[in-house]
Amino acid sequence: MIRTCKTAAAFFLAVALIPAWALAFELETPLTDSVTVLETLKVLWDRTVEDSDQHFWATVNRLTLNVAKGPVLIGARYDVEAYFEKDDTPVKHLPRKFYLQVNQRPLDLRIGDFYASQGRGLVLHVIKNDEFGEDTSIQGEFLGISTRYISYSGLAGVINEGDDLTFYPERARDPEKHYADRDLLWSQGLVLSLPRVIKVGAHYTGAVERTDKEIEIVEAEKDNRYDLLGFSLALPNLWGVGSLHAEYAYREFLDGKRFLDDLEEEGRGLYLAANFYFAGVDLLLEGKDYYRFTFPYSEPPTLEEEELAFELPEYEDEFGGRIRVGYMIPVIETYIYANYLHTKGHILTPPTLKDHYDHGNEFRAFDRVKHVYGGIERRWENTAYILGSGGYRELDIGRWVHSEMNAGLPVTERSSLTVSFGWRDYRGIGAFRDTSYGSELFQLTYSFSPYLDLTGRYEHSTEPSAASTGDTDFLGEGGSDKEDFWSVEAKLRPTSASSVSLFWGAEKGGPKCSGGVCRVVPSFEGLKAEFSIRF
């Protein structure tokens, strides 16, 4: 009886404020321009693990309140996570975000939680991806001043972690980090610009990475210290046919290992990009040189196409470039393109550091990448289209051959069908020649714009579990008996501001990239329902 009452009470606390739909409403009052309430809910049944005793239900409720008056916005978000296991029902209540913002040009003032980025992300990149994805923010103060010719930004605060790629019961059991135990970060940026001619910027970020004092193995460590100084140059109009962007950053790292007597380590990051457009041809040239450039709160450009994620990008130790050329054939209104990427790794450990780190003999799987691929795109005035691509990717330990196809066909004025197909084949070379695996993906979507999307998806994969999680140290080892992943999903949009998503089935994990951010998305099997409002 006590267990039943506890479960019922936890469920009530998790969803007490949740209507049948995700709900957002806006009110005007004599003292404010608007009061907005935003309600989001995620419900899932996770049966990814084969052991049925580890299956669980979960509800994640987020209530956001925003009050606006002129240039002033005050808001807060309160989260409730509840997990319903066989023998326990852990629940966590957490005031996750709070913020005060004043935005009236040229002033931008933020207190509380906010997001920030400097340049192309070499020095700093802390942004929000989506409501139920990664939502790490900075909790502190931000000051921005922006005019036509000069922009300044300065910030200081602690990191408010919000990695929500997976939900599991231990999240509710683990205590939140105390304010003093969170990573500390501060940053400044200055950009001088002559509109449509040139932009020159200088950026600095400092950070203290806190060690977990409760873990016995790190008792001999102190906090780590990062300092990054960067410079950027942008020429948005090169003789009317192109643009140029260049960014360089210097990184200094003070390792807190006490027995090494505060080992200092230097690194660098360089990124170059040039775009040209002439006679129907578009040309992209990119280059990078990252050496000992690991920093947990930056996200440098990768040179990779987001939809072709094979492994997590390498930021610590890689240099190389890519060239991409495209041409629109006017007679048949068809676009063709070709891309070549070549990157290689530095030798990580200088001889002077051999006594501290034995990285010189460490085996690194992705020291070299060559990737050549191309594609064709044809679109019609009735919104029908067909996109096809394929290529060859070579690593030190193996090679990929891949192809992709997407086609869209209008059914009626407001409905359409979309078909997607992907194929990949991996073969090891050298010492890994006995390793091979592959995958085939088929997806069919029916859309009734703008209210409904129905999707069926099937993927057959013999890829080992270590590879699908981006674990390059053990690529080709381990694995799972599961090779077939079926799923169906329905997305409803009753209004322009609300959406409901229902997912049932299994999806294979692996590296995924979105908005310039690449992460390993874990495998999932079960039921997911998301009710949300986005605006």
Side-chain angles (χ1 to χ4, degrees), residues 366-393:
F366 296 113
D367 278 345
R368 179 175 56 87
V369 176
K370 293 180 181 178
H371 193 180
V372 56
Y373 61 92
I376 183 170
E377 301 178 3
R378 177 70 165 95
R379 301 178 186 273
W380 288 266
E381 293 183 358
N382 65 350
T383 71
Y385 65 88
I386 183 168
L387 315 175
S389 63
Y392 173 85
R393 183 181 183 90

Side-chain angles (χ1 to χ4, degrees), residues 27-35 67-70:
L27 302 175
E28 293 185 7
T29 72
L31 299 179
T32 65
D33 293 335
S34 67
V35 177
V67 179
K69 178 64 175 179

Side-chain angles (χ1 to χ4, degrees), residues 124 138-141 155-161 177-187 205-211 223-227 295-297:
L124 177 66
I138 303 169
Q139 199 170 79
E141 300 80 30
L155 63 92
V158 298
I159 294 298
N160 187 9
E161 294 182 1
K177 285 185 178 180
H178 295 294
Y179 193 86
D181 294 332
R182 298 179 182 178
D183 293 350
L184 178 63
L185 186 143
W186 58 96
S187 181
T205 296
V208 174
E209 187 179 35
R210 308 291 192 189
T211 57
D223 296 335
N224 298 325
R225 169 69 184 266
Y226 292 89
D227 289 284
F295 178 54
Y297 304 112

Side-chain angles (χ1 to χ4, degrees), residues 120 194-199 233-245 273-277:
R120 291 287 181 93
L194 190 60
R196 297 183 59 82
V197 178
I198 188 173
K199 282 187 177 183
L233 170 67
L235 302 175
N237 187 6
L238 285 177
W239 308 290
V241 297
S243 62
L244 173 70
H245 181 90
N275 290 275
F276 297 97
Y277 314 92

Side-chain angles (χ1 to χ4, degrees), residues 217-224 253-265 292 349 352-359:
I217 196 173
V218 300
E219 288 182 352
E221 296 194 12
K222 298 182 294 185
D223 296 335
N224 298 325
F253 173 64
L254 184 63
D255 195 321
K257 291 182 173 60
R258 296 180 186 272
F259 59 86
L260 295 182
D261 194 20
D262 293 338
L263 171 67
E264 289 191 13
E265 178 181 288
R292 293 190 173 279
T349 307
T352 55
L353 298 181
K354 284 287 188 179
D355 293 338
H356 295 305
Y357 292 122
D358 189 21
H359 283 321

